[in-house]
């Protein structure tokens, strides 16, 4: 996988993400087990920003012709690099071991033209408590958290070549320590809401076009971390 973006007025924040993935998948009776390794190498403004290694097994269990469950866990090592926009060395204090565990339940419609899904994921970032070099006000403990993500979604084909998708995620992050970006050392808590709507149209047997709108709202009790983001995208894709 390769992702990149370009900013007209914020070129220092251009992102390149190189993410090769290797997996092995095996059927065990009616169940299916997949074991996956993913490397993420991310640059920001041309400078090395993050190197991540992740291992994730996923077990898919069908309960009937219309329902199945996916259970998954993941270990991820996140190694944040020092880069030009971070002269005080704050970024590497985010180095973390991330542990994730979750499950998603799927229900297919009887006419096989759509599905609904719902699931829960728990994750924890363990960052330690070392003081950042050159700035004792910021520590690795700023970034240590436990998270709870609730996800629901639906997909439906109103026409044979058109698919509509709607998804909503609520992600609660409870940080473990007082935050040094807060004047009164408040323990940071974030409520992140994400709503995504997508329309996909098949152009032929292998080519499709998609239109998507995504809204993200992060409500944090430490004001510097609050943001609202709106993304509109047009995607051309193919399977061959």
């Amino acid at each position: 996988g390769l992702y990149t973006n370009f900013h007209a007025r914020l070129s220092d924040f251009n992102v390149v993400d190189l993410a090769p993935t290797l997996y092995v998948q095996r059927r065990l009776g009616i169940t299916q087990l997949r074991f996956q390794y993913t490397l993420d190498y991310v640059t920001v403004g041309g400078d090395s920003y993050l190197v991540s290694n992740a291992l994730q097994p996923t077990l898919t269990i069908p309960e009937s012709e219309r329902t199945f469950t996916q259970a998954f866990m993941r270990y991820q090592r996140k190694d944040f690099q020092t880069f030009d926009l971070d002269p005080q060395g704050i970024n590497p204090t985010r180095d973390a071991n991330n542990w994730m565990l979750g499950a998603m339940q799927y229900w297919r419609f009887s006419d096989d033209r759509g599905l609904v899904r719902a699931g829960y994921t728990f994750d924890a970032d363990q960052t330690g408590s070392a003081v950042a070099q050159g700035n004792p006000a910021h520590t690795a403990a700023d970034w240590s958290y436990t998270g709870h993500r609730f996800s629901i979604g639906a997909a439906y084909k109103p026409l044979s070549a058109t698919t509509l998708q709607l998804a909503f995620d609520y992600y609660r992050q409870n940080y473990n320590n007082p935050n040094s970006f807060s004047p009164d050392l408040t323990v940071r808590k974030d409520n992140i809401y994400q709503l995504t709507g997508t329309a996909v149209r098949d152009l032929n047997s292998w080519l499709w076009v998609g239109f998507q709108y995504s809204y993200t709202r992060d409500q944090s009790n430490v004001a510097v971390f609050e943001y609202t983001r709106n993304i509109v995208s047009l995607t051309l894709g193919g399977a061959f």
Side-chain angles (χ1 to χ4, degrees):
L2 175 64
Y3 169 83
T4 186
N5 65 9
F6 301 97
H7 293 79
R9 290 176 294 178
L10 290 171
S11 60
D12 282 345
F13 290 90
N14 290 345
V15 172
V16 175
D17 184 359
L18 179 64
T21 299
L22 178 67
Y23 71 90
V24 59
Q25 188 167 285
R26 182 173 177 81
R27 189 169 295 279
L28 305 171
I30 63 171
T31 66
Q32 180 176 277
L33 178 63
R34 176 186 177 113
F35 189 82
Q36 179 174 299
Y37 164 75
T38 302
L39 168 69
D40 267 297
Y41 176 70
V42 182
T43 66
V44 178
D47 299 306
S48 181
Y49 179 76
L50 171 66
V51 178
S52 165
N53 293 274
L55 299 172
Q56 179 172 326
T58 301
L59 184 65
T60 302
I61 307 169
E63 296 87 19
S64 69
E65 292 183 355
R66 300 296 177 190
T67 62
F68 65 94
T69 303
Q70 284 190 332
F72 45 86
M73 61 185 299
R74 185 193 67 196
Y75 167 72
Q76 181 185 22
R77 173 60 185 173
K78 296 188 286 187
D79 182 9
F80 286 88
Q81 311 293 297
T82 302
F83 69 116
D84 283 353
L85 296 179
D86 181 22
Q88 295 178 320
I90 297 171
N91 197 54
T93 66
R94 299 182 66 179
D95 290 353
N97 294 307
N98 182 272
W99 303 88
M100 182 185 76
L101 180 67
M104 187 75 67
Q105 179 67 47
Y106 294 82
W107 297 268
R108 293 192 182 98
F109 296 162
S110 58
D111 57 5
D112 211 24
R113 297 180 66 175
L115 59 82
V116 294
R117 61 175 176 84
Y120 166 77
T121 303
F122 169 84
D123 80 302
D125 243 25
Q126 299 175 338
T127 61
S129 58
V131 174
Q133 182 178 3
N135 193 336
H138 303 291
T139 74
D142 274 344
W143 308 104
S144 181
Y145 73 86
T146 56
H148 305 272
R149 183 187 298 270
F150 299 89
S151 303
I152 57 174
Y156 184 68
K157 278 190 172 184
L159 303 170
S160 60
T162 302
T163 302
L164 303 178
Q165 302 172 7
L166 186 65
F168 174 76
D169 280 26
Y170 167 67
Y171 188 23
R172 170 73 174 199
Q173 290 181 318
N174 297 315
Y175 286 80
N176 300 334
N177 303 284
N179 191 277
S180 56
F181 287 91
S182 172
D184 56 358
L185 296 182
T186 297
V187 177
R188 179 182 169 190
K189 300 182 186 299
D190 284 30
N191 294 303
I192 303 173
Y193 306 89
Q194 184 171 35
L195 179 66
T196 303
T198 308
V200 178
R201 175 72 178 179
D202 294 332
L203 302 179
N204 54 38
S205 61
W206 64 274
L207 190 65
W208 54 268
V209 63
F211 177 82
Q212 184 179 85
Y213 168 71
S214 178
Y215 170 82
T216 303
R217 174 74 172 109
D218 187 340
Q219 293 181 332
S220 176
N221 64 341
V222 180
V224 70
F225 296 106
E226 286 203 0
Y227 70 88
T228 300
R229 179 171 61 198
N230 296 273
I231 299 176
V232 177
S233 63
L234 184 66
T235 303
L236 183 66
F240 49 88

